[in-house]
Amino acid sequence: MKRREAGRTRGCTLYLVRHAIAAERSDEWPDDSKRPLTHKGRARMREVVRGLVALGVEIDVVVTSPLVRAEQTAQIVVAGLTPKPILATLDALAPGHSPAAVAKALEAHSGASAIALVGHEPGMGELAAWLIGAHTAIPFKKGGVARIDVATLPPHGSGQLVWVGTPRMLRR
């Protein structure tokens, strides 16, 4: 049996991850979906993943928004974990989709015990709130991660927020 982070009992653990620091919107990146991570963003995200490893986090599947900055963040997460998670893309994690759409799409991964979702703000904060039944979005810094345990997939808004890690906390 795989080793799991302390405190894990049943259901599914979701790790919500906001993409790392990306290039600023500018004339250089007229298509927002193509903005890549910066060198600093990639380096800091690798440190965040080392922090996750130090916490004993293991992930079965990393599901990412199709936008370049999220895909690059997801690739860093996959590369830093052992065993290597499966990488999948989910259009519902792109900006403008509802938390309910993301939750419904997670049914495709119902066999997984730990899933990382890589996306954007304000969507990640809204998804976190929806998952735990809160009325206010949970703010995510770039590279921030939250752990939410849910009893079933798709989740139905009764998840438990276990922790929220800022990038600075996870890098240390």
Side-chain angles (χ1 to χ4, degrees):
M1 177 162 205
K2 286 184 180 180
R3 189 184 96 232
R4 292 278 176 224
E5 180 182 356
R8 171 101 177 81
T9 56
R10 62 183 180 85
C12 185
T13 296
L14 301 177
Y15 294 96
L16 278 59
V17 182
R18 183 178 180 193
H19 68 77
I21 301 166
E24 294 293 327
R25 292 182 177 142
S26 68
D27 292 340
E28 184 178 359
W29 303 106
D31 182 348
D32 184 55
S33 69
K34 305 287 186 214
R35 287 191 300 124
L37 296 182
T38 63
H39 174 73
K40 181 178 180 179
R42 288 188 300 273
R44 285 191 172 180
M45 194 66 211
R46 283 190 291 272
E47 291 174 6
V48 165
V49 173
R50 282 194 289 274
L52 294 174
V53 169
L55 289 172
V57 169
E58 289 185 12
I59 296 170
D60 301 311
V61 181
V62 176
V63 183
T64 182
S65 155
L67 278 64
V68 169
R69 57 194 177 272
E71 288 179 332
Q72 290 175 333
T73 300
Q75 290 165 357
I76 292 167
V77 172
V78 168
L81 296 175
T82 304
K84 297 280 182 249
I86 296 166
L87 180 60
T89 301
L90 178 61
D91 289 340
L93 284 169
H97 292 87
S98 72
V102 174
K104 181 167 177 42
L106 289 179
E107 191 168 20
H109 302 286
S110 61
S113 59
I115 301 171
L117 304 171
V118 182
H120 314 268
E121 273 292 87
M124 295 312 289
E126 293 167 353
L127 176 60
W130 187 88
L131 288 167
I132 63 172
H135 298 291
T136 305
I138 296 170
F140 278 74
K141 291 188 176 279
K142 291 177 183 170
V145 181
R147 175 185 163 178
I148 298 176
D149 290 351
V150 297
T152 62
L153 286 180
H156 299 288
S158 60
Q160 177 184 0
L161 177 62
V162 177
W163 52 258
V164 175
T166 65
R168 178 176 285 169
M169 290 168 57
L170 293 167
R171 288 192 314 262
R172 292 183 181 197

